[in-house]
Amino acid sequence: MSVRVAHISDLHVSPERPFFNANMERLFAHLRGERPDILLNTGDLGLFGERDNGDLGCALAQHRELGVECRIVPGNHDVGEHPDIAGADQVNDERLARYRRVVGPDFWVLDLPGWRLVGIDALIAGTMLSGWAEQAEGLRRAAEGRAGRSLALVLHKPLADERYDDEALSPRFSSPGARRAILDALGPHCPALVLCGHVHQYRDAAIGGSRHIWAPPASFVIGDPWQPSYGGKAVGYLDHVFHADGSHEARLRTVRGLVHNDLATLPQVYGDVTARGPGNG
Ligand SMILES: [Fe+2]
Ligand SMILES: [Fe+2]
């Protein structure tokens, strides 16, 4: 038996500022036709969902209407930025409580034939914020007790760019401290797969013995030269097939009618990314 998982990411929707809502509606119309077994969302549901507004609810309505089992991990625009990243709207216990109340658990374990998927809230990894100690223990137990299943770790930000021992601090990747906390919890257990979103690019790379696949955004890319190219700057989603023998396939899907928004041409959304200079968007 194989399970089809549609993996979407980075919707960035809002009822008041609906720059990317049409893309979400187009994507979900497509998914209603595709009928995946499970919908996986790697975060940034809201445009500013970390603030107290209707952004998270706006995205959730579409998920519920789809009528398939959904698994979601929060993004920095859902619970706030990791405390290691200065200057941004940071995660706090109030934002975490709101996310958990509106969206649901920010840690989960999903068993499929041959596979165990574990979703974590990497925006609090390695912090004293509410829930991380339990998540680290939950991840450790889930990895240890998976009884021969292949392990997939699901989080919002890529665990690393190219190396786990990279000490550079960048808002694009899990901070060195967050990465260490996650790897410590995994201990000797190496995930076959690490699935994420956040950079708004598609990438498929091998790091530390795991295959790391970044989902493309549903909302926008940041065009050249404003953001470096790590992979492909595409708008779409991923189709995963998880097989009972522990193997897996993934492919990038594009959707007719999705608008290829470029944040560099939309300063009214998050400010003028071109003002930060090439490579800094
Ligand atoms: Fe995003
Ligand atoms: Fe993000």
Side-chain angles (χ1 to χ4, degrees), residues 223-242:
D224 294 341
W226 310 111
Q227 187 193 55
S229 288
Y230 298 95
K233 295 186 178 181
V235 173
Y237 73 104
L238 296 177
D239 243 344
H240 298 282
V241 185
F242 292 91

Side-chain angles (χ1 to χ4, degrees), residues 136-168:
E137 177 59 16
L139 176 56
R140 189 189 65 73
R141 272 193 273 116
E144 208 168 80
R146 69 188 193 279
R149 293 185 186 90
S150 296
L151 181 65
L153 178 68
V154 183
L155 74 174
H156 178 59
K157 289 187 178 188
L159 195 49
D161 179 3
E162 293 187 294
R163 303 168 54 94
Y164 287 158
D165 61 2
D166 185 356
E167 288 301 313

Side-chain angles (χ1 to χ4, degrees), residues 158 161-162 170-173 198-203 214 221-234 262 264 273 276-281:
D161 179 3
E162 293 187 294
S170 161
R172 288 197 195 103
F173 307 102
H198 178 67
V199 184
H200 291 231
Q201 297 189 32
Y202 164 70
R203 192 169 80 160
W214 302 2
V221 297
I222 304 174
D224 294 341
W226 310 111
Q227 187 193 55
S229 288
Y230 298 95
K233 295 186 178 181
D262 182 348
V273 297
R276 300 178 211 156
N280 296 319

Side-chain angles (χ1 to χ4, degrees), residues 10 12 43-44 76-77 156 198 200 220:
D10 296 277
H12 290 263
D44 281 356
N76 51 301
H77 284 290
H156 178 59
H198 178 67
H200 291 231
F220 61 85

